[in-house]
Amino acid sequence: MVKFLRKSVFWFSLFWISLSWMAVSGATFEIEYYTVPETGKTVEVAKGHINLMLWEPRPVEEVKTLLMPYGIKVRGDVANMGGYFLQLPDFMPLDEGIRLLKSLPEVRYAGPDYVIYPLATTPNDPRFPQQGLLNTIKAPDAWDITTGIPDAWVAVLDTGVRLDHEDLRDKIVFCRQGDIVDFVDNDTDPSDESGHGTGVAGIAAATTNNALGVAGVAWLPKILPLRVLSGGGGLTSWAVSAINYVTQNCPNVRVINMSFGGYGPDSMQEQALNNAYNRGIVPVGGAGNDGTETPFFPAAFDRVVAVCATHLNDQKWDYSNYGTWVDICAPSNEGMVTTSIGGGYGGFGGTSGATPVVSGVVALIASLHPNWTAEQIVLKLLQSADNIDAQNPAYAGKLGSGRVNANQALRGSGPDIAPPIISITNPPDNSSVRGGQIPFTAVATDDSGSVPKVEFFVDGQKIGEDTTGDQNNHVFTTVWDTSTASETTHILLVRAFDPVNNTSTDQHSVKVDRSPPQVLFTYPPANSIVSKTINVQISVIDNSPLKFVNLFIDGLLRQSFFSPPYVYVWDTTSVPEGTHTLMASAQDILDNPPTSATLTIQVDNTPPSLNIDSPQAGALLSGVVPIQVSATDSIGLNTVEILVDGQVVSAFGGTPPFTYNWDTMPVVGKNHRIGARAVDLAGNVASQEISVQVKNDFISPQVRFALPPAGIRACGTIHFLVDATDNREVLSVDIMEGNTLLTRLTSSPYAFDYAWLTSQEGAHSLTATASDASENTSQASLSVEVLYPQHSPPSSYPASGPLNLSFIAPETAVTDGFLIYREKGSQGFFTALNPSARLGNTFLFQIPSSALPPAGLEYIFSINSLYFTCETQRYEVASLYPFGDLNLDGKVDELDALEIGFYFGTPASSPRFKPHMDLNRDNIIDINDLNILAGLITL
């Protein structure tokens, strides 16, 4: 069934019922029965066969790999269109296989392999040798225009064709020699075994005007025989392969005749036919011979011309299928004399015979218009048909566009595929109407110059049509009675028809509104008191746009609004204080009766009278102090508040007295602010503020230096601890040296460290000042003498034995001291050394000669005390001898190596031992010292 404004893909699942076997010319397959949900029909399919389509074509080997885990095999393909013919494993039911495949994201379609059959033939009385159908379809008149061209081929997909028939042999062609054209036995011989395909070929295009046999509808177009059926039927997979072969390899084919089918919609077959249609090939299919309205496939697919069969008197043939999915009819039964399997001629009927009649006419149209698309050819075919609903009242609307007319199909210009142009002119889109009899008008034109009918709809219900209209101005009209229509939005639609029933529509949204606006003031509230500048806010509810909203104050128009928001900024200081009346009115664009709302308010812009009566400004306060405020207003007070230091401490209503007893005892600090604020009923505000002093504490803090002891002699970082107390609270402790603030301590313990440099040796005096919240203070002093350790560094190592170092600490309370040292000028780690002895504050250290670095020593003393930590400056000791100059001649050379050689092997216990020759300080003069010296010798 051809539909040009609709696309659909059939998705379905099938229910397994039973099995049987079918043998088709050597091809044997098992049959299952399924019920097709879309039609309710039980159909035959090949057991275990599935036709599969992927969203994107893939190589067959890749598809085999994809399906291998499920045991599913690929038995064939049309890979260029992403189609594959599958075989399920024996253990897997067909419905489960389909369900499994559909669950894979790569799969676009999975369905059974339907069994297809040639349409049943109804032999005619051999006494009627004339081909009456040719006169019925006006073929002789059409042949006056064209008898076709050889290059407009008719592909006959059927049981094959008898290739040596005298009326067909000169018409048989092949796309390429050696191609497979028998898709049943998968070979190159499409010979007919049953006669069905031979009869179809003869009706469509038997050789004509050759003094033999019968005349075909199309004289000159060639016949391409493709075998997809045998006497017992066939499979959709065979048909899909043949259709795909034509599309890919046969550029001269313009029509595919399919006098076969069934009630199972195979999406792969549909896609193959769509591909052919898009390439300019017209698929033509028989509607079926069961006398049913159920869609029959492939005829019922969108891009296939579905052919119903009629008698010569244009009445539907009794057994022909019918329905809204049928596109056109052609004569059958009487007059269907055609080529036969035996090489002679015989009768042929049913939709199998009607289908090639239409295919022959399609070949003539394609011959006359070789550049037309498939859509143009089909439109011309359908638009030129003779309507036969009058002869078939019981089947009106179910026989397509009528019976084919070859003569009309070849006459005139191309098909009228342009729909009319229509637009609603009244009521406007998104407009509102008040009610009553509303003109409903539209303007419609068509390229044919005529618009025979315009239909009018409201909310999907037809309310009228205009078949005359004003053809000069192209105006069509009806009346819409809105007096009882619901007050809501309605959808208005118009549909225009051209002479060949192309249609177009236009629609508007229109609201019915018979109610006046609802007006109210949302601010200020009724009977309220206002002041200064306010926003007068108006709300209007209506089903239609408003024409205006007007605001009046005391009878004078203040502002007109034509769109929301309806807000008027009113400076009330411009009017006298007292009572005022506001009124708002509104009217919608439909002139529904205007409505209004009124509001009475009072204006007051005078602030209250306010005074802080006590205490007086600047007063010194203590204990509990009464704060007294007086306030009055002409229209009444709303609130009075008392504030201390900016915080509200008491709030009152509008009635005096306004007194607050302020307890100053917990107050911190001396300077404070007392404030008062009064607000009247209109929101006018008065405020006042004074400054006062508060003091409830006259006792100074106690402060002393707890650590270190007075007169301490210390160095480095000294640890201080101050003891400060107060009867209420210590606010801070400031530590000063002279006039310099060292630190401010705000919480206990009041401890801090302070470091003095070596350059700051001498006497220092520190002062601690403690302050409380009432600004009472007290002080304490401490004297400290900064004195770094006494030490005299030696100029060089001793000639033999250890290096003795000592220092005198500045304070007897020193807990410990130690020495850290390393090789002079190095970046290595320091070595720590505890004192070898301590005599009072004198610390003695002994570095063994074996630990003395050959190049000299750098060291630091570190001291710990209960009261301080101190590190001295860095000291240095030189080596006794120049490193490596063993003979002291001012240079390092081979003579120094001879010195080591002279004393080689001498240990430190020997009187001959020379410490300066023991370069690595291992207490023996050996090869290690000679290696060190070798690195120092300058040659």
Side-chain angles (χ1 to χ4, degrees), residues 499-749:
V500 294
N501 283 335
N502 292 316
T503 65
S504 60
T505 62
D506 186 29
Q507 73 176 38
H508 281 186
S509 295
V510 178
K511 185 181 295 182
V512 174
D513 176 18
R514 296 186 294 271
S515 301
Q518 301 176 40
V519 184
L520 68 152
F521 285 97
T522 56
Y523 189 84
N527 301 314
S528 62
I529 303 171
V530 299
S531 64
K532 300 181 178 59
T533 299
I534 66 169
N535 290 337
V536 179
Q537 299 175 5
I538 305 167
S539 174
V540 183
I541 301 173
D542 195 66
N543 289 328
S544 302
L546 296 176
K547 182 182 290 186
F548 63 81
V549 175
N550 289 335
L551 173 66
F552 299 85
I553 299 179
D554 298 328
L556 296 177
L557 177 65
R558 288 299 184 100
Q559 186 163 338
S560 293
F561 302 93
F562 302 100
S563 62
Y566 310 118
V567 178
Y568 175 65
V569 181
W570 182 25
D571 181 5
T572 64
T573 62
S574 63
V575 299
E577 295 190 353
T579 302
H580 296 270
T581 300
L582 282 66
M583 185 186 77
S585 64
Q587 188 169 41
D588 61 24
I589 61 171
L590 302 179
D591 291 329
N592 285 311
T595 55
S596 63
T598 58
L599 182 71
T600 299
I601 60 172
Q602 189 172 356
V603 172
D604 174 26
N605 284 299
T606 302
S609 174
L610 176 69
N611 186 63
I612 300 174
D613 297 331
S614 67
Q616 299 298 311
L620 180 63
L621 309 178
S622 64
V624 178
V625 179
I627 302 174
Q628 296 179 335
V629 175
S630 60
T632 59
D633 190 77
S634 59
I635 64 170
L637 292 169
N638 185 22
T639 59
V640 174
E641 298 173 335
I642 294 176
L643 303 89
V644 174
D645 293 329
Q647 300 296 316
V648 176
V649 295
S650 186
F652 308 89
T655 304
F658 310 118
T659 301
Y660 170 68
N661 291 321
W662 180 27
D663 183 3
T664 66
M665 295 299 292
V667 172
V668 177
K670 187 174 183 181
N671 295 313
H672 298 274
R673 296 172 289 119
I674 295 175
R677 181 166 59 229
V679 182
D680 66 13
L681 295 177
N684 298 304
V685 179
S687 62
Q688 187 181 9
E689 186 175 270
I690 63 172
S691 296
V692 296
Q693 293 187 329
V694 174
K695 188 167 185 180
N696 288 295
D697 177 18
F698 296 92
I699 299 174
S700 299
Q702 299 296 312
V703 63
R704 70 183 183 88
F705 279 96
L707 292 176
I712 188 174
R713 302 172 73 187
C715 63
T717 299
I718 303 177
H719 312 305
F720 294 92
L721 176 65
V722 178
D723 184 11
T725 60
D726 189 66
N727 63 316
R728 300 186 70 178
E729 181 184 6
V730 175
L731 192 63
S732 64
V733 176
D734 288 348
I735 308 299
M736 307 280 292
E737 182 180 10
N739 295 323
T740 303
L741 176 66
L742 301 184
T743 184
R744 170 166 289 177
L745 309 173
T746 58
S747 61
S748 180

Side-chain angles (χ1 to χ4, degrees), residues 35 138 188 215 230 250 285 312 321 407 515 567 571 599 615 651 737 760 821 857 892 911:
T35 299
K138 304 296 189 293
T188 60
S230 185
C250 306
L312 294 182
N321 290 353
N407 181 46
S515 301
V567 178
D571 181 5
L599 182 71
E737 182 180 10
Q760 295 172 310
Y821 67 92
L857 183 75
V892 179

Side-chain angles (χ1 to χ4, degrees), residues 298-560:
F301 285 134
D302 285 354
R303 291 296 182 261
V304 179
V305 177
V307 181
C308 167
T310 59
H311 294 288
L312 294 182
N313 62 0
D314 285 339
Q315 290 184 351
K316 186 184 83 71
W317 181 59
D318 297 346
Y319 299 105
S320 175
N321 290 353
Y322 59 94
T324 55
W325 50 275
V326 169
D327 295 299
I328 200 167
C329 297
S332 176
N333 203 8
E334 307 98 344
M336 279 292 191
V337 179
T338 182
T339 51
S340 67
I341 187 64
Y345 305 91
F348 198 85
T351 55
S352 280
T355 302
V357 173
V358 174
S359 295
V361 175
V362 169
L364 292 177
I365 298 173
S367 297
L368 189 62
H369 304 286
N371 295 323
W372 276 13
T373 64
E375 181 178 9
Q376 289 174 302
I377 293 173
V378 173
L379 278 173
K380 187 63 175 179
L381 176 75
L382 301 185
Q383 290 176 3
S384 61
D386 293 334
N387 189 292
I388 56 174
D389 282 353
Q391 292 90 329
N392 299 274
Y395 302 100
K398 299 180 180 181
L399 301 178
S401 59
R403 191 250 308 124
V404 64
N405 186 321
N407 181 46
Q408 292 299 324
L410 299 182
R411 296 188 181 275
S413 58
D416 181 0
I417 61 175
I421 299 173
I422 188 168
S423 60
I424 298 173
T425 56
N426 190 70
D429 195 16
N430 297 316
S431 65
S432 299
V433 295
R434 181 176 176 183
Q437 303 292 314
I438 304 299
F440 186 0
T441 61
V443 171
T445 59
D446 187 68
D447 56 2
S448 68
S450 172
V451 176
K453 182 173 68 172
V454 172
E455 296 177 336
F456 297 84
F457 298 83
V458 175
D459 297 329
Q461 299 296 317
K462 183 176 178 180
I463 66 168
E465 66 178 40
D466 189 350
T467 58
T468 57
D470 182 352
Q471 294 295 333
N472 292 327
N473 296 313
H474 313 291
V475 177
F476 297 81
T477 185
T478 191
V479 174
W480 177 28
D481 184 3
T482 64
S483 58
T484 59
S486 61
E487 291 193 64
T488 185
T489 299
H490 299 269
I491 303 300
L492 277 60
L493 182 140
V494 292
R495 179 181 292 117
F497 296 80
D498 70 4
V500 294
N501 283 335
N502 292 316
T503 65
S504 60
T505 62
D506 186 29
Q507 73 176 38
H508 281 186
S509 295
V510 178
K511 185 181 295 182
V512 174
D513 176 18
R514 296 186 294 271
S515 301
Q518 301 176 40
V519 184
L520 68 152
F521 285 97
T522 56
Y523 189 84
N527 301 314
S528 62
I529 303 171
V530 299
S531 64
K532 300 181 178 59
T533 299
I534 66 169
N535 290 337
V536 179
Q537 299 175 5
I538 305 167
S539 174
V540 183
I541 301 173
D542 195 66
N543 289 328
S544 302
L546 296 176
K547 182 182 290 186
F548 63 81
V549 175
N550 289 335
L551 173 66
F552 299 85
I553 299 179
D554 298 328
L556 296 177
L557 177 65
R558 288 299 184 100
Q559 186 163 338
S560 293

Side-chain angles (χ1 to χ4, degrees), residues 789-795 804-808 859 861 875-877:
Q790 301 175 28
H791 171 68
S792 298
S795 60
N804 294 312
L805 300 173
S806 66
F807 73 86
I808 302 174
Y859 59 93
F861 294 114
Y875 300 103
E876 292 185 353
V877 180

Side-chain angles (χ1 to χ4, degrees), residues 777-788:
T777 63
S778 62
Q779 291 183 334
S781 298
L782 178 69
S783 295
V784 175
E785 183 178 2
V786 176
L787 181 65
Y788 275 81

